[in-house]
Amino acid sequence: MGTAAIELKNITKTFGNVVANKDVCLTVNRGEILSILGENGSGKTTLMNMISGIYFPDHGSIYIGGEEVMIKSPKDAFRYKIGMIHQHFKLVDVFTAAENIVLGAEDAHGFNMKKSARRIGEISRQYGFDIDPNKKIYEMSISEKQTVEIIKVLYRGADILILDEPTAVLTPQETQKLFKILRRMRDDGKAIIIITHKLHEVLSLSDRVSVLRKGEYIGTVNTAETNESQLTEMMVGEKVSLNIQRDEPQNSEDRLVVKNLNCVSREGVKLLQDISFTARSGEILGIAGIAGSGQRELLEAIAGLQHLESGEIDYHDPKSGKTEDLRDKTPMEIRQLGVRLSFVPEDRLGMGLVGNMDIVDNMMLRSYRRGKSIFLRRKEPKELAERIIEGLNVVTPDAKTPVRRLSGGNVQKVLVGREIAAAPTVLMVAYPARGLDINSSYMIYNLLNEQKRRGVAVIFVGEDLDVLMELCDRVMVIGSGQITGTVDARTATKEQIGLLMTKTARGDENE
């Protein structure tokens, strides 16, 4: 193990009355990969933002190579060779990879693109990056954009790298490739810090793991000497069961039959092409795919939020026994038919909830049209809000708190809780556990399983393949708006699903 690259001593940061970090002490050595684990709101990102110069600590000291330093801006962080790769990339779409990499870099050569391209080539060869420096960002896949972000900080000389949720939108194959590169960097003496929620990745990649809980440092363990349940207990403060129960589907019936769905954007781009599948009652159908492959558009089309060019969406109503075509009906008409399509969108505050309204009012959004009088009844929504707060451990002063004041994870719990409370017959959820800590994630998986047991047809769009394979009965893979395959989640492998994610339906041998 190398010498300490960076040491944090008694770092404290508050925002008003909220204590984000309290007296955190942490050491990262040269030539190691350190994972930082913690529930939502445990202060991981705030801590990393102080190292990278976005925030300044209220109290405490930061030491680089044994010397105390002041990091007041990202520019200071670069001076101390610290680079952070954020979850949301900060690239200029119309520029090439090389132009993005040199943009804003203080270089003795000035902007000599030939010399810069040579240097980018050297970095790529040294660590095994696969990148075309002349390719425009808008032509790139997610993993290529991430590669540009990593080379960008290496180009500036970073030897302490911080990666925030680096595998959130990568396929298993891309994740393995990234891990190989990170191990090469570690072997080259760089200090690497990774924030992630995926415990299996922590155990396969890192040398040590540091755990934060409610803004405080709990401890650091050697990865080789720990396991998932011990790490979860450190994060949560109590033993948590990490098994997703998967029952066999009971009395399964076709609930939603989608045939040859085609959807085109206003610009004429094909979003969905010949999509056909069946969602059955008492079953969880998983949908996998690289981000932006059409998952969102598919759910929106079923929910009546996307205009369809052609195709059928047949809903078999369990109450009347009738078959209804949902095609081209408005979301309100779909609901009036007695079809409850509950949709937890990716953009929680943009599409799911109103940020300035409190939790009770957000409950009323789902049900106020049922009111018979001109006065809105607040009793039921208030009781529902309180049930959700208690049942899902939503951290909030009370049900009157505006939703925008809640952390991302708590916003998600309110949204999922409200949708499930609508007692749907078809429940569609998009990334319901994205960015949630392990405890909250398992709470949501259990809720989905409960719906399945009640005979609901659950359609689950997820990004964590381990979860999709453990929770779902079948997994359907979408690539570039087309279905590339459907597998039995009980027998499929991650590699098999990963390969389906990277091919298009047109690439099949039988076509």
Side-chain angles (χ1 to χ4, degrees), residues 326-339:
L326 306 186
R327 164 92 195 274
D328 285 339
K329 286 189 167 62
T330 65
M332 193 50 71
E333 286 168 334
I334 289 172
R335 289 234 296 276
Q336 282 164 351
L337 274 169
V339 180

Side-chain angles (χ1 to χ4, degrees), residues 473-486:
D473 298 291
R474 290 178 299 139
V475 176
M476 179 172 92
V477 185
I478 292 189
S480 309
Q482 298 170 283
I483 293 175
T484 57
T486 302

Side-chain angles (χ1 to χ4, degrees), residues 83-98:
M84 184 158 174
I85 293 95
H86 295 270
Q87 215 174 333
H88 303 290
F89 308 137
K90 294 165 168 48
L91 299 169
V92 181
D93 268 6
V94 293
F95 283 9
T96 63

Side-chain angles (χ1 to χ4, degrees), residues 260-285:
N260 308 112
L261 221 57
N262 286 284
C263 180
V264 177
S265 74
R266 284 177 187 160
E267 294 77 33
V269 178
K270 283 195 169 178
L271 301 173
L272 299 173
Q273 208 172 332
D274 283 330
I275 298 271
S276 297
F277 71 93
T278 301
R280 302 187 186 108
S281 61
E283 177 194 72
I284 299 180
L285 172 67

Side-chain angles (χ1 to χ4, degrees), residues 67 88 177 195 218 250 338 374 384 470 473 476 488 492 502:
E67 284 185 32
H88 303 290
K177 209 163 144 190
I195 302 174
I218 299 301
Q250 300 293 320
I374 56 165
L384 174 59
E470 216 181 316
D473 298 291
M476 179 172 92
D488 182 335
T502 50

